[in-house]
Amino acid sequence: MEAIRIEKTKQPKAKPSDQGSLGFGRYYTDHMFLMDYDAGRGWHSPRIVPYAPIALDPAAMCLHYGQEVFEGMKAYCGADGKVRLFRPEQNMARLNLSNDRLCIPPVDEAFAVEAVKALVRTDADWIPAAEGTSLYIRPFIFAVDPHIGVHPAAHLLFCIILSPVGAYYPEGLNPVKIFVEQAYVRSVRGGMGYVKTGGNYAASLKAQEEAHKAGYTQVLWLDGIERRYVEEVGTMNVFFVLGGEVVTPALQGSILGGITRKSCIELLQSWGVKVTERPLALAELLEAAKTGQLEEAFGSGTAAVISPIGELRCGEETLLINGGKIGALSQRLYDALTGIQWGRAQDTFGWMQEV
Ligand code: COI
């Protein structure tokens, strides 16, 4: 692969003045990474350029048929001042899984990690250091052929942008209220639910809006066929502590294989906690809540980290979980993960990569 050409901006933007109120996705750094794909030539011309709007032909295929994939990862400013990425090779492996599903040519995973590092180094002065903040990294690929026939693109753009962020949910680490969605579905096996593509999120918007209006942060999706089994929450995978055992829905083709999900499972197992990946029926959850076996619930994700679930609304029933407070295991996972990510705890798994 060619070397990355770097063109620095002559007009750096003002940085957010208050790192305590960054929110999520409101600010973008001074530069972005771009690389083109042309059939017959492959991926070429990797470059870091000033952050700017991208001109697209109105017929660009991504705008019409959604041939697009993306990733979400973070760079953390460690307690020792060093900047690190969390399991970036996992993100690029998943990017290629998404590429395969969307008929997008694969990228060189090691090169893509290097591209992220080069961009993060270029915008290193944007990495926030306040407690709970990080630099969110959004790699994405989209089809640019000006052609409104339906077929895989021959021309694509790989782009990476960076955004200094705080907590994804305004609740932070306070438990969120989740609405169990029984009318809309997100994905079915054989569909695209297991990959990161914009269409999955577009499919989620209406349910999310209705849940918001009713006072809930996100929805809990049920399987698209029987509508009996819990799958995932809007932007997170989901875990339940049932009678001392941790249960998370098995990845069966319609659920995103989260990297934070995988890391939670590995952490829990290393602590000797029993974790089971299996189909989990909503009826079982309701029953467990009645018998007092439903001890904790939480979501996991790159953006959200660990988000305790304090309340589940299911039809006419409202389940209050752990008295609406964060559970001991959710707190322990949050502390362990963020401890490793911010370099406060030893990285015994070898998950972090210095930038
Ligand atoms: C992430 O957690 O990184 C995600 O991609 C979720 C996102 C849609 C905010």
Side-chain angles (χ1 to χ4, degrees), residues 24 70-73 136 138 168 196 201 235 301-304:
F24 187 88
F70 72 95
E71 267 307 317
M73 51 208 289
Y136 188 78
R138 172 53 60 86
Y168 185 76
K196 275 188 102 61
Y201 296 82
T235 60
T302 298

Side-chain angles (χ1 to χ4, degrees), residues 156-216:
L156 298 112
L157 192 63
F158 180 6
C159 184
I160 308 174
I161 56 174
L162 308 174
S163 174
V165 298
Y168 185 76
Y169 296 123
E171 289 91 337
L173 199 54
N174 294 318
V176 292
K177 289 163 69 178
I178 301 285
F179 184 86
V180 180
E181 181 55 58
Q182 310 208 49
Y184 304 107
V185 300
R186 170 184 174 272
S187 172
V188 291
R189 260 181 258 169
M192 303 194 299
Y194 67 102
V195 299
K196 275 188 102 61
T197 182
N200 288 332
Y201 296 82
S204 75
L205 294 175
K206 193 160 171 65
Q208 183 181 300
E209 272 310 281
E210 291 182 7
H212 271 172
K213 280 191 197 127
Y216 293 86

